[in-house]
Amino acid sequence: MNLQRDDDATESGILRLLKREGPTENVSIAVAILDHIEQAGQMRAILDCAVDDVLDLRASQVSALKEIASSPCTIEELADRLGLIMAAAQPTVDSLVDLGYVVATGSDVYYATEAGLATVDRADAIRYRSADLASGQLTAEQRAELPALLGVGFSSARQLRRA
């Protein structure tokens, strides 16, 4: 019995390609992109905590409520949209029903209530305000570079309907 590991058989194709080819002239761009993705993930966690502190809702509840508010759905559809298993989606939706943010029809389609829709807007408002406050920590140079770095223009046109 051969216990020696065959690296080619167990490594992903990407790892084999990187080992074989070596870095390109774009490696610094790739590193910067991955760093920004990581920083964005950290900021998302901070914003999720701000919403949790104010609304007393977990990030999973807010995500589920936003999905249901955007388009009524069954538990199966919600689980699919969020990448969850049914056993994880059901208690989340049940908690939103208990809070009065979601109701179910006889066909097991879940809809956001007016209170649920207002809560989605409040969660967005909290996130925007928290991000606004955090952006105050940036230097003038960082604020000037940010739109070009992200490749987008900024607008305050989005309106929160019921916040």
Side-chain angles (χ1 to χ4, degrees):
M1 182 164 156
N2 184 0
L3 297 178
Q4 184 176 357
R5 190 177 102 181
D6 180 6
D7 285 338
D8 278 345
T10 58
E11 285 185 347
S12 73
I14 293 171
L15 290 177
R16 284 195 308 274
L17 179 67
L18 288 174
K19 282 183 178 179
R20 191 175 329 127
E21 299 296 329
T24 69
E25 68 275 0
N26 298 325
V27 74
S28 62
I29 294 169
V31 169
I33 289 169
L34 292 174
D35 285 346
H36 288 293
I37 290 170
E38 185 175 320
Q39 291 169 358
Q42 292 168 353
M43 177 56 84
R44 181 182 180 139
I46 290 168
L47 296 176
D48 287 346
C49 286
V51 171
D52 185 8
D53 288 347
V54 175
L55 298 179
D56 198 28
L57 290 175
R58 295 181 313 277
S60 59
Q61 290 172 304
V62 174
S63 296
L65 183 55
K66 283 183 176 188
E67 283 295 327
I68 294 168
S70 72
S71 177
C73 57
T74 64
I75 287 291
E76 293 85 3
E77 292 166 334
L78 180 65
D80 187 51
R81 289 185 206 168
L82 295 175
L84 301 173
I85 59 171
M86 292 270 297
Q90 188 67 59
T92 300
V93 172
D94 290 344
S95 69
L96 294 171
V97 169
D98 292 344
L99 292 167
Y101 296 147
V102 170
V103 294
T105 63
S107 59
D108 292 329
V109 174
Y110 290 89
Y111 293 84
T113 64
E114 279 301 314
L117 295 172
T119 300
V120 167
D121 283 348
R122 285 186 65 211
D124 284 345
I126 292 164
R127 292 174 70 84
Y128 288 134
R129 181 62 179 146
S130 298
D132 181 40
L133 293 172
S135 70
Q137 303 298 312
L138 299 174
T139 65
E141 182 179 292
Q142 289 170 322
R143 282 193 299 273
E145 291 175 356
L146 192 57
L149 180 67
L150 297 175
V152 295
F154 290 106
S155 167
S156 60
R158 181 158 188 264
Q159 300 295 314
L160 300 174
R161 299 172 303 276
R162 294 164 279 272

